[in-house]
PDB file of all heavy atoms in Angstrom:
ATOM      1  N   SER A   1      10.648  28.555   7.723  1.00 85.00           N
ATOM      2  CA  SER A   1      11.198  29.042   6.461  1.00 85.00           C
ATOM      3  C   SER A   1      10.151  28.944   5.348  1.00 85.00           C
ATOM      4  O   SER A   1       9.295  28.057   5.354  1.00 85.00           O
ATOM      5  CB  SER A   1      12.442  28.232   6.071  1.00 85.00           C
ATOM      6  OG  SER A   1      12.068  26.933   5.637  1.00 85.00           O
ATOM      7  N   THR A   2      10.265  29.852   4.395  1.00 87.00           N
ATOM      8  CA  THR A   2       9.358  29.854   3.251  1.00 87.00           C
ATOM      9  C   THR A   2       9.483  28.545   2.484  1.00 87.00           C
ATOM     10  O   THR A   2       8.488  28.004   2.004  1.00 87.00           O
ATOM     11  CB  THR A   2       9.678  31.046   2.326  1.00 87.00           C
ATOM     12  OG1 THR A   2       9.576  32.246   3.099  1.00 87.00           O
ATOM     13  CG2 THR A   2       8.738  31.120   1.152  1.00 87.00           C
ATOM     14  N   GLU A   3      10.692  28.009   2.401  1.00 91.00           N
ATOM     15  CA  GLU A   3      10.916  26.747   1.682  1.00 91.00           C
ATOM     16  C   GLU A   3      10.139  25.598   2.334  1.00 91.00           C
ATOM     17  O   GLU A   3       9.506  24.804   1.643  1.00 91.00           O
ATOM     18  CB  GLU A   3      12.406  26.414   1.656  1.00 91.00           C
ATOM     19  CG  GLU A   3      12.705  25.125   0.913  1.00 91.00           C
ATOM     20  CD  GLU A   3      14.190  24.764   0.924  1.00 91.00           C
ATOM     21  OE1 GLU A   3      15.027  25.632   1.190  1.00 91.00           O
ATOM     22  OE2 GLU A   3      14.470  23.579   0.678  1.00 91.00           O
ATOM     23  N   THR A   4      10.162  25.517   3.664  1.00 92.00           N
ATOM     24  CA  THR A   4       9.442  24.448   4.362  1.00 92.00           C
ATOM     25  C   THR A   4       7.944  24.599   4.162  1.00 92.00           C
ATOM     26  O   THR A   4       7.239  23.618   3.887  1.00 92.00           O
ATOM     27  CB  THR A   4       9.794  24.452   5.861  1.00 92.00           C
ATOM     28  OG1 THR A   4      11.192  24.163   6.003  1.00 92.00           O
ATOM     29  CG2 THR A   4       8.987  23.420   6.632  1.00 92.00           C
ATOM     30  N   VAL A   5       7.445  25.810   4.279  1.00 90.00           N
ATOM     31  CA  VAL A   5       6.016  26.059   4.094  1.00 90.00           C
ATOM     32  C   VAL A   5       5.595  25.669   2.672  1.00 90.00           C
ATOM     33  O   VAL A   5       4.574  24.989   2.477  1.00 90.00           O
ATOM     34  CB  VAL A   5       5.666  27.530   4.406  1.00 90.00           C
ATOM     35  CG1 VAL A   5       4.232  27.850   3.998  1.00 90.00           C
ATOM     36  CG2 VAL A   5       5.876  27.826   5.887  1.00 90.00           C
ATOM     37  N   THR A   6       6.379  26.056   1.695  1.00 92.00           N
ATOM     38  CA  THR A   6       6.069  25.726   0.299  1.00 92.00           C
ATOM     39  C   THR A   6       6.088  24.220   0.072  1.00 92.00           C
ATOM     40  O   THR A   6       5.188  23.670  -0.577  1.00 92.00           O
ATOM     41  CB  THR A   6       7.070  26.419  -0.650  1.00 92.00           C
ATOM     42  OG1 THR A   6       6.966  27.838  -0.455  1.00 92.00           O
ATOM     43  CG2 THR A   6       6.792  26.079  -2.103  1.00 92.00           C
ATOM     44  N   ARG A   7       7.088  23.536   0.604  1.00 94.00           N
ATOM     45  CA  ARG A   7       7.155  22.068   0.450  1.00 94.00           C
ATOM     46  C   ARG A   7       5.928  21.388   1.055  1.00 94.00           C
ATOM     47  O   ARG A   7       5.365  20.477   0.462  1.00 94.00           O
ATOM     48  CB  ARG A   7       8.408  21.514   1.116  1.00 94.00           C
ATOM     49  CG  ARG A   7       9.618  21.623   0.266  1.00 94.00           C
ATOM     50  CD  ARG A   7      10.759  20.875   0.910  1.00 94.00           C
ATOM     51  NE  ARG A   7      11.958  21.176   0.141  1.00 94.00           N
ATOM     52  CZ  ARG A   7      13.000  20.405   0.107  1.00 94.00           C
ATOM     53  NH1 ARG A   7      13.031  19.296   0.805  1.00 94.00           N
ATOM     54  NH2 ARG A   7      14.038  20.738  -0.609  1.00 94.00           N
ATOM     55  N   LEU A   8       5.545  21.839   2.239  1.00 95.00           N
ATOM     56  CA  LEU A   8       4.388  21.229   2.891  1.00 95.00           C
ATOM     57  C   LEU A   8       3.097  21.530   2.138  1.00 95.00           C
ATOM     58  O   LEU A   8       2.257  20.643   1.959  1.00 95.00           O
ATOM     59  CB  LEU A   8       4.282  21.693   4.343  1.00 95.00           C
ATOM     60  CG  LEU A   8       5.302  21.059   5.281  1.00 95.00           C
ATOM     61  CD1 LEU A   8       5.323  21.783   6.622  1.00 95.00           C
ATOM     62  CD2 LEU A   8       4.991  19.576   5.483  1.00 95.00           C
ATOM     63  N   ARG A   9       2.922  22.751   1.706  1.00 93.00           N
ATOM     64  CA  ARG A   9       1.720  23.096   0.920  1.00 93.00           C
ATOM     65  C   ARG A   9       1.641  22.225  -0.332  1.00 93.00           C
ATOM     66  O   ARG A   9       0.583  21.690  -0.653  1.00 93.00           O
ATOM     67  CB  ARG A   9       1.723  24.569   0.536  1.00 93.00           C
ATOM     68  CG  ARG A   9       1.289  25.503   1.642  1.00 93.00           C
ATOM     69  CD  ARG A   9       1.222  26.944   1.114  1.00 93.00           C
ATOM     70  NE  ARG A   9       0.646  27.838   2.059  1.00 93.00           N
ATOM     71  CZ  ARG A   9      -0.652  28.063   2.206  1.00 93.00           C
ATOM     72  NH1 ARG A   9      -1.515  27.443   1.456  1.00 93.00           N
ATOM     73  NH2 ARG A   9      -1.093  28.913   3.112  1.00 93.00           N
ATOM     74  N   ASP A  10       2.757  22.091  -1.032  1.00 96.00           N
ATOM     75  CA  ASP A  10       2.785  21.267  -2.244  1.00 96.00           C
ATOM     76  C   ASP A  10       2.507  19.797  -1.924  1.00 96.00           C
ATOM     77  O   ASP A  10       1.770  19.125  -2.650  1.00 96.00           O
ATOM     78  CB  ASP A  10       4.138  21.394  -2.951  1.00 96.00           C
ATOM     79  CG  ASP A  10       4.356  22.765  -3.575  1.00 96.00           C
ATOM     80  OD1 ASP A  10       3.381  23.550  -3.694  1.00 96.00           O
ATOM     81  OD2 ASP A  10       5.522  23.056  -3.935  1.00 96.00           O
ATOM     82  N   TYR A  11       3.105  19.305  -0.855  1.00 97.00           N
ATOM     83  CA  TYR A  11       2.915  17.920  -0.441  1.00 97.00           C
ATOM     84  C   TYR A  11       1.432  17.636  -0.209  1.00 97.00           C
ATOM     85  O   TYR A  11       0.877  16.678  -0.763  1.00 97.00           O
ATOM     86  CB  TYR A  11       3.727  17.655   0.840  1.00 97.00           C
ATOM     87  CG  TYR A  11       3.408  16.350   1.529  1.00 97.00           C
ATOM     88  CD1 TYR A  11       3.930  15.148   1.061  1.00 97.00           C
ATOM     89  CD2 TYR A  11       2.581  16.317   2.648  1.00 97.00           C
ATOM     90  CE1 TYR A  11       3.636  13.949   1.694  1.00 97.00           C
ATOM     91  CE2 TYR A  11       2.287  15.122   3.283  1.00 97.00           C
ATOM     92  CZ  TYR A  11       2.804  13.943   2.810  1.00 97.00           C
ATOM     93  OH  TYR A  11       2.506  12.762   3.441  1.00 97.00           O
ATOM     94  N   PHE A  12       0.785  18.466   0.600  1.00 96.00           N
ATOM     95  CA  PHE A  12      -0.627  18.249   0.903  1.00 96.00           C
ATOM     96  C   PHE A  12      -1.508  18.451  -0.331  1.00 96.00           C
ATOM     97  O   PHE A  12      -2.462  17.698  -0.549  1.00 96.00           O
ATOM     98  CB  PHE A  12      -1.079  19.136   2.064  1.00 96.00           C
ATOM     99  CG  PHE A  12      -0.535  18.692   3.393  1.00 96.00           C
ATOM    100  CD1 PHE A  12       0.320  19.512   4.116  1.00 96.00           C
ATOM    101  CD2 PHE A  12      -0.867  17.464   3.942  1.00 96.00           C
ATOM    102  CE1 PHE A  12       0.828  19.116   5.343  1.00 96.00           C
ATOM    103  CE2 PHE A  12      -0.363  17.048   5.166  1.00 96.00           C
ATOM    104  CZ  PHE A  12       0.484  17.878   5.868  1.00 96.00           C
ATOM    105  N   ALA A  13      -1.197  19.446  -1.143  1.00 95.00           N
ATOM    106  CA  ALA A  13      -1.978  19.693  -2.361  1.00 95.00           C
ATOM    107  C   ALA A  13      -1.914  18.481  -3.295  1.00 95.00           C
ATOM    108  O   ALA A  13      -2.927  18.107  -3.893  1.00 95.00           O
ATOM    109  CB  ALA A  13      -1.472  20.939  -3.074  1.00 95.00           C
ATOM    110  N   ASN A  14      -0.744  17.871  -3.406  1.00 96.00           N
ATOM    111  CA  ASN A  14      -0.599  16.685  -4.266  1.00 96.00           C
ATOM    112  C   ASN A  14      -1.407  15.497  -3.755  1.00 96.00           C
ATOM    113  O   ASN A  14      -1.684  14.564  -4.515  1.00 96.00           O
ATOM    114  CB  ASN A  14       0.873  16.302  -4.406  1.00 96.00           C
ATOM    115  CG  ASN A  14       1.631  17.261  -5.297  1.00 96.00           C
ATOM    116  OD1 ASN A  14       1.060  17.881  -6.188  1.00 96.00           O
ATOM    117  ND2 ASN A  14       2.914  17.409  -5.047  1.00 96.00           N
ATOM    118  N   LEU A  15      -1.779  15.522  -2.485  1.00 96.00           N
ATOM    119  CA  LEU A  15      -2.593  14.449  -1.904  1.00 96.00           C
ATOM    120  C   LEU A  15      -4.071  14.814  -1.835  1.00 96.00           C
ATOM    121  O   LEU A  15      -4.871  14.083  -1.267  1.00 96.00           O
ATOM    122  CB  LEU A  15      -2.059  14.089  -0.513  1.00 96.00           C
ATOM    123  CG  LEU A  15      -0.659  13.457  -0.539  1.00 96.00           C
ATOM    124  CD1 LEU A  15      -0.099  13.341   0.871  1.00 96.00           C
ATOM    125  CD2 LEU A  15      -0.701  12.091  -1.214  1.00 96.00           C
ATOM    126  N   GLY A  16      -4.441  15.968  -2.420  1.00 95.00           N
ATOM    127  CA  GLY A  16      -5.846  16.344  -2.513  1.00 95.00           C
ATOM    128  C   GLY A  16      -6.362  17.237  -1.405  1.00 95.00           C
ATOM    129  O   GLY A  16      -7.572  17.404  -1.263  1.00 95.00           O
ATOM    130  N   ILE A  17      -5.479  17.856  -0.629  1.00 96.00           N
ATOM    131  CA  ILE A  17      -5.885  18.725   0.469  1.00 96.00           C
ATOM    132  C   ILE A  17      -5.845  20.182   0.016  1.00 96.00           C
ATOM    133  O   ILE A  17      -4.876  20.620  -0.597  1.00 96.00           O
ATOM    134  CB  ILE A  17      -4.962  18.566   1.697  1.00 96.00           C
ATOM    135  CG1 ILE A  17      -4.931  17.117   2.171  1.00 96.00           C
ATOM    136  CG2 ILE A  17      -5.344  19.527   2.810  1.00 96.00           C
ATOM    137  CD1 ILE A  17      -6.187  16.618   2.807  1.00 96.00           C
ATOM    138  N   GLU A  18      -6.899  20.926   0.327  1.00 95.00           N
ATOM    139  CA  GLU A  18      -6.936  22.367   0.070  1.00 95.00           C
ATOM    140  C   GLU A  18      -6.853  23.107   1.391  1.00 95.00           C
ATOM    141  O   GLU A  18      -7.513  22.720   2.362  1.00 95.00           O
ATOM    142  CB  GLU A  18      -8.244  22.770  -0.608  1.00 95.00           C
ATOM    143  CG  GLU A  18      -8.386  22.339  -2.025  1.00 95.00           C
ATOM    144  CD  GLU A  18      -9.690  22.831  -2.643  1.00 95.00           C
ATOM    145  OE1 GLU A  18     -10.642  23.154  -1.906  1.00 95.00           O
ATOM    146  OE2 GLU A  18      -9.748  22.894  -3.873  1.00 95.00           O
ATOM    147  N   PHE A  19      -6.067  24.173   1.419  1.00 93.00           N
ATOM    148  CA  PHE A  19      -5.995  25.037   2.590  1.00 93.00           C
ATOM    149  C   PHE A  19      -6.975  26.183   2.406  1.00 93.00           C
ATOM    150  O   PHE A  19      -7.114  26.726   1.307  1.00 93.00           O
ATOM    151  CB  PHE A  19      -4.576  25.575   2.778  1.00 93.00           C
ATOM    152  CG  PHE A  19      -3.611  24.523   3.224  1.00 93.00           C
ATOM    153  CD1 PHE A  19      -2.791  23.886   2.318  1.00 93.00           C
ATOM    154  CD2 PHE A  19      -3.532  24.153   4.553  1.00 93.00           C
ATOM    155  CE1 PHE A  19      -1.912  22.902   2.719  1.00 93.00           C
ATOM    156  CE2 PHE A  19      -2.660  23.163   4.972  1.00 93.00           C
ATOM    157  CZ  PHE A  19      -1.847  22.538   4.051  1.00 93.00           C
ATOM    158  N   LEU A  20      -7.636  26.549   3.485  1.00 93.00           N
ATOM    159  CA  LEU A  20      -8.640  27.601   3.452  1.00 93.00           C
ATOM    160  C   LEU A  20      -8.234  28.742   4.373  1.00 93.00           C
ATOM    161  O   LEU A  20      -7.493  28.544   5.325  1.00 93.00           O
ATOM    162  CB  LEU A  20      -9.987  27.038   3.921  1.00 93.00           C
ATOM    163  CG  LEU A  20     -10.469  25.784   3.207  1.00 93.00           C
ATOM    164  CD1 LEU A  20     -11.657  25.192   3.944  1.00 93.00           C
ATOM    165  CD2 LEU A  20     -10.822  26.102   1.778  1.00 93.00           C
ATOM    166  N   GLY A  21      -8.776  29.899   4.111  1.00 91.00           N
ATOM    167  CA  GLY A  21      -8.550  31.046   4.969  1.00 91.00           C
ATOM    168  C   GLY A  21      -8.123  32.256   4.181  1.00 91.00           C
ATOM    169  O   GLY A  21      -7.743  32.168   3.020  1.00 91.00           O
ATOM    170  N   TRP A  22      -8.211  33.380   4.836  1.00 90.00           N
ATOM    171  CA  TRP A  22      -7.797  34.641   4.228  1.00 90.00           C
ATOM    172  C   TRP A  22      -7.311  35.556   5.335  1.00 90.00           C
ATOM    173  O   TRP A  22      -7.603  35.361   6.500  1.00 90.00           O
ATOM    174  CB  TRP A  22      -8.939  35.279   3.449  1.00 90.00           C
ATOM    175  CG  TRP A  22     -10.202  35.460   4.247  1.00 90.00           C
ATOM    176  CD1 TRP A  22     -11.234  34.565   4.356  1.00 90.00           C
ATOM    177  CD2 TRP A  22     -10.563  36.570   5.067  1.00 90.00           C
ATOM    178  NE1 TRP A  22     -12.213  35.052   5.186  1.00 90.00           N
ATOM    179  CE2 TRP A  22     -11.821  36.296   5.643  1.00 90.00           C
ATOM    180  CE3 TRP A  22      -9.938  37.777   5.375  1.00 90.00           C
ATOM    181  CZ2 TRP A  22     -12.471  37.169   6.488  1.00 90.00           C
ATOM    182  CZ3 TRP A  22     -10.593  38.646   6.236  1.00 90.00           C
ATOM    183  CH2 TRP A  22     -11.846  38.343   6.768  1.00 90.00           C
ATOM    184  N   GLY A  23      -6.518  36.533   4.950  1.00 88.00           N
ATOM    185  CA  GLY A  23      -6.006  37.426   5.970  1.00 88.00           C
ATOM    186  C   GLY A  23      -5.096  38.489   5.427  1.00 88.00           C
ATOM    187  O   GLY A  23      -5.044  38.743   4.220  1.00 88.00           O
ATOM    188  N   ASP A  24      -4.353  39.061   6.333  1.00 78.00           N
ATOM    189  CA  ASP A  24      -3.462  40.177   6.032  1.00 78.00           C
ATOM    190  C   ASP A  24      -2.028  39.722   6.215  1.00 78.00           C
ATOM    191  O   ASP A  24      -1.626  39.379   7.334  1.00 78.00           O
ATOM    192  CB  ASP A  24      -3.797  41.339   6.971  1.00 78.00           C
ATOM    193  CG  ASP A  24      -2.872  42.522   6.797  1.00 78.00           C
ATOM    194  OD1 ASP A  24      -2.396  42.737   5.672  1.00 78.00           O
ATOM    195  OD2 ASP A  24      -2.643  43.233   7.787  1.00 78.00           O
ATOM    196  N   LEU A  25      -1.264  39.713   5.127  1.00 76.00           N
ATOM    197  CA  LEU A  25       0.135  39.292   5.198  1.00 76.00           C
ATOM    198  C   LEU A  25       0.953  40.215   6.094  1.00 76.00           C
ATOM    199  O   LEU A  25       1.842  39.770   6.806  1.00 76.00           O
ATOM    200  CB  LEU A  25       0.766  39.262   3.798  1.00 76.00           C
ATOM    201  CG  LEU A  25       0.286  38.167   2.864  1.00 76.00           C
ATOM    202  CD1 LEU A  25       0.868  38.367   1.464  1.00 76.00           C
ATOM    203  CD2 LEU A  25       0.651  36.803   3.391  1.00 76.00           C
ATOM    204  N   GLY A  26       0.642  41.505   6.060  1.00 76.00           N
ATOM    205  CA  GLY A  26       1.399  42.472   6.851  1.00 76.00           C
ATOM    206  C   GLY A  26       1.292  42.234   8.351  1.00 76.00           C
ATOM    207  O   GLY A  26       2.289  42.233   9.068  1.00 76.00           O
ATOM    208  N   SER A  27       0.072  41.997   8.821  1.00 78.00           N
ATOM    209  CA  SER A  27      -0.134  41.777  10.261  1.00 78.00           C
ATOM    210  C   SER A  27      -0.049  40.300  10.628  1.00 78.00           C
ATOM    211  O   SER A  27      -0.067  39.958  11.811  1.00 78.00           O
ATOM    212  CB  SER A  27      -1.494  42.322  10.691  1.00 78.00           C
ATOM    213  OG  SER A  27      -2.536  41.547  10.119  1.00 78.00           O
ATOM    214  N   ARG A  28       0.006  39.435   9.604  1.00 79.00           N
ATOM    215  CA  ARG A  28       0.012  37.981   9.813  1.00 79.00           C
ATOM    216  C   ARG A  28      -1.176  37.550  10.673  1.00 79.00           C
ATOM    217  O   ARG A  28      -1.041  36.794  11.616  1.00 79.00           O
ATOM    218  CB  ARG A  28       1.335  37.519  10.403  1.00 79.00           C
ATOM    219  CG  ARG A  28       2.487  37.738   9.432  1.00 79.00           C
ATOM    220  CD  ARG A  28       3.762  37.098   9.846  1.00 79.00           C
ATOM    221  NE  ARG A  28       3.535  35.663   9.959  1.00 79.00           N
ATOM    222  CZ  ARG A  28       4.234  34.889  10.790  1.00 79.00           C
ATOM    223  NH1 ARG A  28       5.167  35.392  11.545  1.00 79.00           N
ATOM    224  NH2 ARG A  28       3.987  33.608  10.840  1.00 79.00           N
ATOM    225  N   THR A  29      -2.354  38.038  10.301  1.00 86.00           N
ATOM    226  CA  THR A  29      -3.594  37.658  10.967  1.00 86.00           C
ATOM    227  C   THR A  29      -4.500  37.021   9.923  1.00 86.00           C
ATOM    228  O   THR A  29      -4.867  37.669   8.937  1.00 86.00           O
ATOM    229  CB  THR A  29      -4.286  38.888  11.586  1.00 86.00           C
ATOM    230  OG1 THR A  29      -3.378  39.516  12.485  1.00 86.00           O
ATOM    231  CG2 THR A  29      -5.543  38.482  12.346  1.00 86.00           C
ATOM    232  N   TYR A  30      -4.832  35.744  10.131  1.00 89.00           N
ATOM    233  CA  TYR A  30      -5.627  34.990   9.168  1.00 89.00           C
ATOM    234  C   TYR A  30      -6.900  34.482   9.835  1.00 89.00           C
ATOM    235  O   TYR A  30      -6.879  34.009  10.965  1.00 89.00           O
ATOM    236  CB  TYR A  30      -4.831  33.805   8.621  1.00 89.00           C
ATOM    237  CG  TYR A  30      -3.597  34.237   7.885  1.00 89.00           C
ATOM    238  CD1 TYR A  30      -2.390  34.389   8.544  1.00 89.00           C
ATOM    239  CD2 TYR A  30      -3.655  34.511   6.527  1.00 89.00           C
ATOM    240  CE1 TYR A  30      -1.248  34.812   7.865  1.00 89.00           C
ATOM    241  CE2 TYR A  30      -2.518  34.920   5.837  1.00 89.00           C
ATOM    242  CZ  TYR A  30      -1.330  35.069   6.519  1.00 89.00           C
ATOM    243  OH  TYR A  30      -0.218  35.484   5.856  1.00 89.00           O
ATOM    244  N   PHE A  31      -8.014  34.560   9.107  1.00 92.00           N
ATOM    245  CA  PHE A  31      -9.314  34.095   9.582  1.00 92.00           C
ATOM    246  C   PHE A  31      -9.805  32.961   8.688  1.00 92.00           C
ATOM    247  O   PHE A  31      -9.444  32.878   7.518  1.00 92.00           O
ATOM    248  CB  PHE A  31     -10.337  35.235   9.552  1.00 92.00           C
ATOM    249  CG  PHE A  31     -10.008  36.366  10.471  1.00 92.00           C
ATOM    250  CD1 PHE A  31      -9.342  37.488  10.010  1.00 92.00           C
ATOM    251  CD2 PHE A  31     -10.353  36.300  11.811  1.00 92.00           C
ATOM    252  CE1 PHE A  31      -9.027  38.529  10.865  1.00 92.00           C
ATOM    253  CE2 PHE A  31     -10.047  37.331  12.677  1.00 92.00           C
ATOM    254  CZ  PHE A  31      -9.373  38.449  12.189  1.00 92.00           C
ATOM    255  N   GLY A  32     -10.665  32.108   9.232  1.00 91.00           N
ATOM    256  CA  GLY A  32     -11.241  31.019   8.448  1.00 91.00           C
ATOM    257  C   GLY A  32     -10.236  29.951   8.061  1.00 91.00           C
ATOM    258  O   GLY A  32     -10.452  29.220   7.100  1.00 91.00           O
ATOM    259  N   VAL A  33      -9.164  29.838   8.835  1.00 91.00           N
ATOM    260  CA  VAL A  33      -8.112  28.871   8.510  1.00 91.00           C
ATOM    261  C   VAL A  33      -8.650  27.455   8.732  1.00 91.00           C
ATOM    262  O   VAL A  33      -9.296  27.166   9.734  1.00 91.00           O
ATOM    263  CB  VAL A  33      -6.852  29.130   9.368  1.00 91.00           C
ATOM    264  CG1 VAL A  33      -5.806  28.050   9.155  1.00 91.00           C
ATOM    265  CG2 VAL A  33      -6.277  30.502   9.043  1.00 91.00           C
ATOM    266  N   GLY A  34      -8.386  26.595   7.765  1.00 93.00           N
ATOM    267  CA  GLY A  34      -8.818  25.206   7.864  1.00 93.00           C
ATOM    268  C   GLY A  34      -8.375  24.420   6.648  1.00 93.00           C
ATOM    269  O   GLY A  34      -7.577  24.893   5.840  1.00 93.00           O
ATOM    270  N   VAL A  35      -8.916  23.221   6.522  1.00 94.00           N
ATOM    271  CA  VAL A  35      -8.585  22.331   5.410  1.00 94.00           C
ATOM    272  C   VAL A  35      -9.823  21.587   4.945  1.00 94.00           C
ATOM    273  O   VAL A  35     -10.792  21.444   5.692  1.00 94.00           O
ATOM    274  CB  VAL A  35      -7.502  21.290   5.793  1.00 94.00           C
ATOM    275  CG1 VAL A  35      -6.178  21.959   6.083  1.00 94.00           C
ATOM    276  CG2 VAL A  35      -7.942  20.442   6.974  1.00 94.00           C
ATOM    277  N   ARG A  36      -9.770  21.140   3.718  1.00 94.00           N
ATOM    278  CA  ARG A  36     -10.816  20.261   3.191  1.00 94.00           C
ATOM    279  C   ARG A  36     -10.229  19.439   2.062  1.00 94.00           C
ATOM    280  O   ARG A  36      -9.183  19.759   1.499  1.00 94.00           O
ATOM    281  CB  ARG A  36     -12.020  21.058   2.709  1.00 94.00           C
ATOM    282  CG  ARG A  36     -11.773  21.820   1.432  1.00 94.00           C
ATOM    283  CD  ARG A  36     -13.025  22.494   0.956  1.00 94.00           C
ATOM    284  NE  ARG A  36     -12.731  23.328  -0.206  1.00 94.00           N
ATOM    285  CZ  ARG A  36     -13.573  24.165  -0.701  1.00 94.00           C
ATOM    286  NH1 ARG A  36     -14.771  24.310  -0.183  1.00 94.00           N
ATOM    287  NH2 ARG A  36     -13.245  24.878  -1.761  1.00 94.00           N
ATOM    288  N   TRP A  37     -10.929  18.358   1.743  1.00 93.00           N
ATOM    289  CA  TRP A  37     -10.559  17.574   0.576  1.00 93.00           C
ATOM    290  C   TRP A  37     -10.938  18.369  -0.661  1.00 93.00           C
ATOM    291  O   TRP A  37     -11.995  18.994  -0.697  1.00 93.00           O
ATOM    292  CB  TRP A  37     -11.293  16.234   0.556  1.00 93.00           C
ATOM    293  CG  TRP A  37     -10.818  15.283   1.588  1.00 93.00           C
ATOM    294  CD1 TRP A  37     -11.444  14.919   2.747  1.00 93.00           C
ATOM    295  CD2 TRP A  37      -9.582  14.551   1.574  1.00 93.00           C
ATOM    296  NE1 TRP A  37     -10.688  14.024   3.436  1.00 93.00           N
ATOM    297  CE2 TRP A  37      -9.534  13.774   2.751  1.00 93.00           C
ATOM    298  CE3 TRP A  37      -8.520  14.489   0.680  1.00 93.00           C
ATOM    299  CZ2 TRP A  37      -8.461  12.954   3.044  1.00 93.00           C
ATOM    300  CZ3 TRP A  37      -7.447  13.667   0.976  1.00 93.00           C
ATOM    301  CH2 TRP A  37      -7.430  12.896   2.150  1.00 93.00           C
ATOM    302  N   ARG A  38     -10.075  18.348  -1.659  1.00 89.00           N
ATOM    303  CA  ARG A  38     -10.370  19.041  -2.915  1.00 89.00           C
ATOM    304  C   ARG A  38     -11.681  18.475  -3.483  1.00 89.00           C
ATOM    305  O   ARG A  38     -11.922  17.277  -3.446  1.00 89.00           O
ATOM    306  CB  ARG A  38      -9.213  18.830  -3.898  1.00 89.00           C
ATOM    307  CG  ARG A  38      -9.366  19.587  -5.199  1.00 89.00           C
ATOM    308  CD  ARG A  38      -8.131  19.514  -6.077  1.00 89.00           C
ATOM    309  NE  ARG A  38      -7.572  18.189  -6.178  1.00 89.00           N
ATOM    310  CZ  ARG A  38      -6.322  17.875  -5.841  1.00 89.00           C
ATOM    311  NH1 ARG A  38      -5.505  18.781  -5.366  1.00 89.00           N
ATOM    312  NH2 ARG A  38      -5.879  16.641  -5.975  1.00 89.00           N
TER     313      ARG A  38
END
């Protein structure tokens, strides 16, 4: 669910984690997906 994804993104962001990657929402294909410390 979008709600779960949003909660998790916010949770990790509040702890200093950045999500990386880019892609196409239509095809749901993302490249360069990863994480790093802010």
Side-chain angles (χ1 to χ4, degrees):
S1 73
T2 303
E3 181 182 342
T4 296
V5 171
T6 300
R7 278 188 188 204
L8 285 168
R9 281 184 172 274
D10 290 347
Y11 168 79
F12 288 117
N14 287 332
L15 294 171
I17 303 290
E18 289 182 339
F19 289 98
L20 307 169
W22 54 269
D24 177 31
L25 290 173
S27 68
R28 295 190 60 208
T29 303
Y30 298 90
F31 296 96
V33 174
V35 294
R36 72 176 175 190
W37 289 106
R38 184 172 45 238

